[in-house]
Amino acid sequence: MDSQDWDDRYAASELVWGAAPNRWVVRELAGRTPGHALDLAAGEGRNAIWLAAQGWEVTGLDFSAVALERAERLTAELPDEVADRLTWRHGDARAYEAPAAGYDLVLVAYLQIPAAERRAALRRAADALSPGGTLLVIGHDLSNLTEGVGGPQDPAVLFTPEDVLADLADRGLRTVRAERVHRTVDGEPGHKGAAGAESGESAEANGGGRVAVDALVRLERSGG
């Protein structure tokens, strides 16, 4: 899907992915010392807004102008101390040039692009990290096609934790976590065979339900 496709999708409904942050973002980042964060492919901004509420200074970047308009509208409804921590930028994750100072956190959640483009985007994300920074990558796992529900049905835009590690093998990052994670999707916003924001509880926690499989990789740059 190109930027026009995503503009059309966001324009067709209100808050495609809901307002709540992704459950894996919360699990991995809650309680961490805030700093400067970059949310690549931020969509309507739910994860960036959550990070700002935790005290992070956040830049949210997306190539859908419609999604960013919605994010700006949501920002206007926030308390000033949270809204002032958010900056929205229209751009492409595959070509983003980070400032020299870098970021303490780079989040790439449910970026759905072919392997070569994903590799380019993830390498730019890794290069945007400041010393001691964290890169968190979350997406629909390739195994979701046969073992889960929802998400893109094109294997070309899916990946595994191993794919992410291979993409970034020469970037000097330490692997903190690289795993497949499961969540129930019943009743989740946007879950109609499309990618994106899933914040429901895991099947283990809820005792059943339709389960989707995600890939989750958390990496850190040394130093800091």
Side-chain angles (χ1 to χ4, degrees), residues 11-196:
S13 61
E14 191 72 15
L15 289 182
V16 174
W17 312 124
N22 173 261
R23 64 166 282 123
W24 309 126
V25 171
V26 174
R27 189 191 78 173
E28 296 298 315
L29 302 177
R32 292 177 62 89
T33 301
H36 289 84
L38 171 65
D39 184 2
L40 287 176
E44 298 158 309
R46 67 196 184 106
N47 293 319
I49 289 170
W50 179 81
L51 286 168
Q54 309 306 302
W56 292 83
E57 300 283 340
V58 188
T59 297
L61 180 135
D62 202 274
F63 72 173
S64 168
V66 174
L68 291 176
E69 288 170 4
R70 194 161 292 166
E72 290 173 347
R73 189 170 74 241
L74 291 173
T75 301
E77 300 171 358
L78 298 171
D80 288 346
E81 63 269 21
V82 176
D84 289 346
R85 299 188 192 111
L86 286 159
T87 300
W88 304 108
R89 291 186 177 172
H90 185 256
D92 193 324
R94 297 165 294 187
Y96 179 71
E97 295 288 347
Y103 295 93
D104 303 298
L105 167 68
V106 178
L107 171 64
V108 184
Y110 301 96
L111 178 61
Q112 306 163 198
I113 52 180
E117 298 176 27
R118 180 197 70 236
R119 177 180 171 86
L122 291 183
R123 291 166 75 85
R124 284 185 178 273
D127 292 345
L129 290 175
S130 60
T134 292
L135 171 60
L136 180 59
V137 182
I138 306 164
H140 299 281
D141 191 82
L142 180 61
S143 67
N144 193 62
L145 283 176
T146 55
E147 300 175 20
V149 297
Q153 298 302 295
D154 179 2
V157 300
L158 302 179
F159 59 87
T160 68
E162 293 79 12
D163 291 332
V164 174
L165 295 180
D167 288 343
L168 301 173
D170 64 348
R171 276 336 197 229
L173 304 180
R174 181 177 71 88
T175 303
V176 177
R177 194 188 305 276
E179 62 186 14
R180 290 168 179 81
V181 288
H182 298 79
R183 54 181 166 73
T184 56
V185 297
D186 294 329
E188 288 187 354
H191 195 82
K192 296 181 180 179

